[in-house]
Amino acid sequence: ITMKHIITLLMAAAITVSAAENKILGSLSVAPVAAIQTLDLTGASQFGAGLDIGYKVNSFVGIHVVNLAFENNDWGDSAVDETDLLIRADITKFKINTFTPYFIGGGLYDWNTDSFGMSVGLGGQLNITKSVGVGGDYSVQFLEDGGKRGLAKFFINFSF
C-alpha cells in the first residue's frame, strides 16, 4: 500500500463520516414544550414544561422522546416528572408544506408514581420556515392502574 492509497482511503472515510453526520443531524429536531395535563380527562389540570427531541426516520415518521416537569408541589419534586417515547406519523404532506397534521402515540413513564402507560392522539404543525414550526397536539394517556389523563402540548419545533 502506497501513501497515495492511504490518503485515498482516509479521504473516503472522511467523506463517509461527513455524509453520515449530515444525515443524522439533518434528521434531528428539538422543541421546547408547554403542556397542560388533565387528571381523569375532566379533573384538575396542571401546567408543565419540557423538551421534545425527535429523529425523522423518513419523510412521514419520526421518533420522539419528550421529558416533562409539572407544577405539582411547586416544581420541587424532580427535574423530570414524565418521559414519553412517541411515534409521530404525519397524515399528509401538502404541496406547499405549510401545515402538517399527524397522529402521535407511544409509551410513557411517570417518575412520581413509578408507573407506565400508553398514549394516543392527534396534532398539527404550522411550518413557518423549512426549519421552524409551531404546533400542538392532544393525547389521551392510559395508565397501568386503569386511570386516564389528557395531555395537551404546545411547542416551537427547530429542525436541523
Side-chain angles (χ1 to χ4, degrees), residues 56-80:
K56 205 87 158 122
V57 176
N58 60 40
S59 62
F60 287 94
V61 177
I63 300 170
H64 293 258
V65 175
V66 183
N67 284 304
L68 297 169
F70 292 100
E71 67 179 331
N72 57 346
N73 295 328
D74 298 320
W75 302 91
D77 279 352
S78 64
V80 176

Side-chain angles (χ1 to χ4, degrees), residues 121-139:
L122 290 169
Q125 178 174 313
L126 180 63
N127 302 308
I128 298 168
T129 69
K130 185 177 177 179
S131 21
V132 178
V134 295
D137 53 58
Y138 182 82
S139 25

Side-chain angles (χ1 to χ4, degrees), residues 77-152:
D77 279 352
S78 64
V80 176
D81 294 317
E82 178 179 308
T83 299
D84 300 338
L85 178 60
L86 303 169
I87 303 293
R88 173 180 154 168
D90 295 347
I91 296 169
T92 185
K93 298 279 188 185
F94 293 105
K95 186 174 182 178
I96 55 174
N97 199 26
T98 57
F99 181 72
T100 307
Y102 59 87
F103 293 113
I104 194 159
L108 66 95
Y109 182 75
D110 187 319
W111 294 94
N112 294 322
T113 61
D114 194 29
S115 62
F116 291 92
M118 302 205 53
S119 68
V120 63
L122 290 169
Q125 178 174 313
L126 180 63
N127 302 308
I128 298 168
T129 69
K130 185 177 177 179
S131 21
V132 178
V134 295
D137 53 58
Y138 182 82
S139 25
V140 177
Q141 299 177 322
F142 302 93
L143 306 173
E144 69 180 337
D145 66 3
K148 294 179 193 162
R149 298 188 298 216
L151 181 65

